[in-house]
Amino acid sequence: MTTIPNPAAFAARGTAVPGAPIGIPAQPRNDTPAPAPEADTGDDVYVIRALTPLAAREANRSAVTALLDTAGIPHFAVRGTSDHGTVVAVAEDDRERVLNVIFRGLGQYPGHISTVRTDQVRPARPLSSRDARAWRDVRTAAALQVSWTRADPGRHLLLGHEYGCAIEFWRRQGSHLVAPRANRVTWAVSGQGANVFGAARLFSRFISDWTAPGSAPPLATRPEFLVELADEITFPVDAVYTWVDGNDPAWQQRKASAKGEVYHAESASDARFISRDELRYSVRSLHLFAPWIRTIYIATDDQVPAWMREDVPGIQVVSHREIFRDPTDLPTFNSHSIESQLHHIEGLSEHFLYFNDDMFIGRPVTPYSFFTPGGVARYFPSRNRIPQGPVVETDTPVDAACKNNRALLLERFGRVITQPMEHIPYALRRSAIEEAERDFPKAWARTSASRFRAMTDLSPTSSFAVYYAALTGRAQPSSMPFTYLQLAVPDLADRLQRLLDGRNQDSFCLNDAFSTPEDIEAQQEILDGFLNGYFPTPSPYER
């Protein structure tokens, strides 16, 4: 049996294939699969052209399992506790063979490795496979985490050890294999059992039955893991956007000829209707960081984004004419009006997220961030407070709508709402909105008929339906890391750079209610660089 060379000697001689520069892959040996079929590397960073967190996860998993398969080492997928990485189990009896094949693989394609011990208070820091210290405890570790750092061609995204593959060493006890650490299902499986295939969603809450199959294939596992757990979300979740291209001449003509009085300067501001291509990047954020979304619906005034493909499943443009119950309410230029009709979208799931096109998912999130396993929606109250008293002429459109919401909910439930919602995607229940429309038909119809924002509006999705769901037992307060940023701030570039460097927010909103025409050109250059840097991977819905 081949044994692992002394770690110090390994580190001293380097790990690259002889004749190849350090960090640049040579032709793979027959017994050593490459980390990813389309990978390219420099400085031990492997480039994937269509990089997503799922792609990084799958590339690392497939590299590890290919190495095990090459050596003929039996293995099976485990339902681990991490949503981003994967876990495979091997028998403790095969430890020496596993270590040898992983050593050879990381010798040709340097990556990172960390050891897992059952007595660890916190995870061990990953070390380069070139570093002798990385190999010191591999013979006694309960598990090894192996990864190769993945990047997009522009190196805007760097996805590292979090998306690696852990190899657990399961000990034989009688007729069973016993896990070295807890997973989400069981401590033991039959030692004689054959592998079966399990849906990818069983192995990560980041994946659903509607995730593109190619990005998350079924995994070979044991029958003991093919169970539906009580804390799992299995219902579909859709996403809905409202969008307008304010540069469209046909739309501009409809707006100019529309009847109705604009009561507040903000409600008619051109900035409210500017299309800065945010929608393209917001959809990219779902593709990258929320691949569990089933269908994306875009509600528009007979407009289709120029970048969008309509022949790809998973995204659908919905005309206002298809969802408005009273066609005489159209055309409308009031987001409150449009929001009052979104629950009429044909095929919309009971649970859905409502996005303005300036809202983005900032890092990988699961549906648990927005819903409980029982289907209760989570909402995100603001630290602001709704002004006291009735609606007055000096109220902003937001405050006026919140006051109207408050009055109706007080009358119906005897409870007073005091907080608006943060600019975080709104988790909604379709049935709650339908009931709210039935309970308040006059106020709902009045909002639908307001072509521009009016004193009498409700804010149907961003507040009213959320509180209605809460007061009928279908929503509960929650929180998440997020950022709200007005594009009109003087230090816009610095703030966007901090957001890009940190990438530590679950969501963020880039609001544009107060920009002047003089601001827009300068802002656009800054915004283009930021959005391309944050979301470099096109979604499959783009031309």
Side-chain angles (χ1 to χ4, degrees), residues 377-408:
R378 304 186 194 274
Y379 65 91
F380 308 96
S382 169
R383 290 174 294 179
N384 295 328
R385 294 296 182 268
I386 301 169
Q388 295 295 313
V391 174
V392 295
E393 290 185 0
T394 55
D395 281 333
T396 66
V398 170
D399 287 342
C402 284
K403 288 181 175 183
N404 293 327
N405 297 342
R406 180 175 63 197
L408 288 183

Side-chain angles (χ1 to χ4, degrees), residues 339-341 343-344 408 432-434 436-438 440-449 458 460-461 464-465:
E339 290 164 7
S340 75
Q341 305 297 307
H343 57 293
H344 297 146
L408 288 183
I433 308 176
E434 290 170 344
E437 183 178 24
R438 288 197 299 268
F440 305 98
K442 291 183 179 179
W444 215 268
R446 190 164 52 240
T447 300
S448 176
L458 303 177
T461 54
F464 193 91

